[in-house]
Amino acid sequence: MRSDLMKKGLERAPHRSLYKAMGYTDDELSRPMIGVVNSANEIIPGHVHLDVITEDAKAGIRMAGGTPVTFPVIGVCDGIAMGHAGMKYSLASRELIADSIEIMATAHPFDGLLMVTNCDKIVPGMLMAALRLNIPTIVVSGGPMLAGTFDGKAVDLISVFEGVGEVKSGKMTQKTLKGLEDYACPGSGSCSGMFTANSMNCVTEALGLGLPGNGTIPSIHAARRRLAKKAGMQVMNLVKKDIRPRDIATLDAFKNAIAVDMALGCSTNTVLHIPAIANEAGITLDLELFNKISKKTANICYLSPAGPHHLEDLDEAGGIQSVIKEISKLGVIHLDSLTVTGKTVGDNLKGVKVKNRDVIRSVEDPYSKEGGIAILRGNLAPDGGVVKQSAVSPDMMVNEGRARVFDSEEDSIEAILGGKIRPGDVVVIRYEGPKGGPGMREMLSPTSAIAGMGLDKSVALLTDGRFSGGTRGAAIGHISPEAAEGGPIGLVKEGDTIVIDIPNKKIDLKVDKKELARRKKAFKPKEPSIKTGYLERYARMVTSASTGAIFKG
């Protein structure tokens, strides 16, 4: 056993004495030791209940003959960090999470790992660590929050963000917004739409590193606790059979995950995280792979913010396994890929069926014949930009508008809420990329304000930063290269014409080549705004969004 390095033999008597100081018995020390990564805290709604999920997972490990050993990791709540300097630390926390798990699992050589996670950057950070360490590992999420109910309608966090814009435009009273605030998020769990957290939990299941049900079983259901116990028992089987993350997360498995991503209409943040996770396994995923898979994969789910359904609806309709089975008809799923069940994707699908065709449509009757995400390129984004095309109004799929240029998120929000943005404008927010931000902030506040003010069908937004999974409308993020790296987005001037053509995957600045060359020659990028601490180091080390914003090798 790997853990024998720290507990077996005459020379390890001091080590065993330290374990015994914590109450471990000789019997416990003789068993396989499983590191249990617990990301519970009291600042993220999706993590506030994870101590319970962790205890269930530990019970499963003990039932299967192992000894669980818990340690924590940090986590940022994107919703609470949104709209202020705190959001600069969200994406940056992903690398710290991966690094801290690597440290803990190497300093203390466990036989296997069980990762209890749920939200935003914590999920990809854990997956990156799993593939980097490559010891038997299983991931179990805390599950999605239920949707709220207000005035007889299903609501969620995005309803509240958009409500701010509605109040500013006179469409909603502050009293109504207060009621919405009170009921939109009814309890623990990852926010209930197909936002980043739920997108990544569903991707984890599709990748094969989480058990069936990992992505969709609601946080408050007893089935979620039972799933945690099953995960605890199953990690012991992975240890026994020496099935490791890289045996599961192969190139074919990543293609499966991207196909499911496209079928669901997941967050654009998956285009950052999936390549970063693959990189840890030595696999390079070019952004064009997303377009190739999207072209072959129908978008068969219409979850918030794109549509009316929430994760609880998807779970009742059959969950991720039913989505996989449906799109397997298109030939986009590698059925022989191994999963943490110890069986293949195809084996897991036996007996699976779709239970609600309103929630999971057939591939013959999809919401669209292409997947939910598109990669756009052009002279404004030579290395690519990302849009959640499933959440874009048909009127905005092809659009030409006047650039309104802002060098920070705060300046853009002031203009939007101040009524200075008009139909036909293209809001450009730059110096918010991985290096320029630094930290590549999410732009949920400006996009929600645009939607709340009724401008989402007439105003486009683009940024070298990123958009929340809760964003809807013509919001194009990850514009690469970013302004701070001398990218063309830094050359845009107020009033320039920008042409967006999502069906043809194009985004261009309609400015003469000679004029662009003149601007480029005179252009000097702004320095990152933070020059001390972790973010200063992050800005020096981080790469482009087009490569997943990973650190330089």
Side-chain angles (χ1 to χ4, degrees), residues 74-130:
I74 62 167
V76 172
C77 178
D78 280 20
I80 294 173
M82 196 73 65
H84 58 87
M87 179 47 75
K88 293 176 182 288
Y89 288 86
S90 175
L91 180 61
S93 72
R94 187 187 70 180
E95 301 348 274
L96 283 178
I97 290 164
D99 289 351
S100 66
I101 295 171
E102 175 195 353
I103 289 169
M104 290 297 289
T106 306
H108 317 100
F110 298 113
D111 298 296
L113 290 171
L114 187 149
M115 298 178 170
V116 182
T117 185
N118 218 19
C119 291
D120 298 317
K121 310 311 160 297
I122 300 97
V123 181
M126 286 195 181
L127 291 172
M128 289 167 68

Side-chain angles (χ1 to χ4, degrees), residues 530-544:
I530 295 177
K531 301 182 184 301
T532 59
Y534 176 56
L535 283 185
E536 186 275 331
R537 283 181 280 130
Y538 183 85
R540 280 190 285 109
M541 298 170 69
V542 73
T543 62
S544 169

Side-chain angles (χ1 to χ4, degrees), residues 487-499:
I489 190 173
L491 308 180
V492 182
K493 290 188 175 182
E494 187 83 5
D496 283 348
T497 298
I498 292 174
V499 181

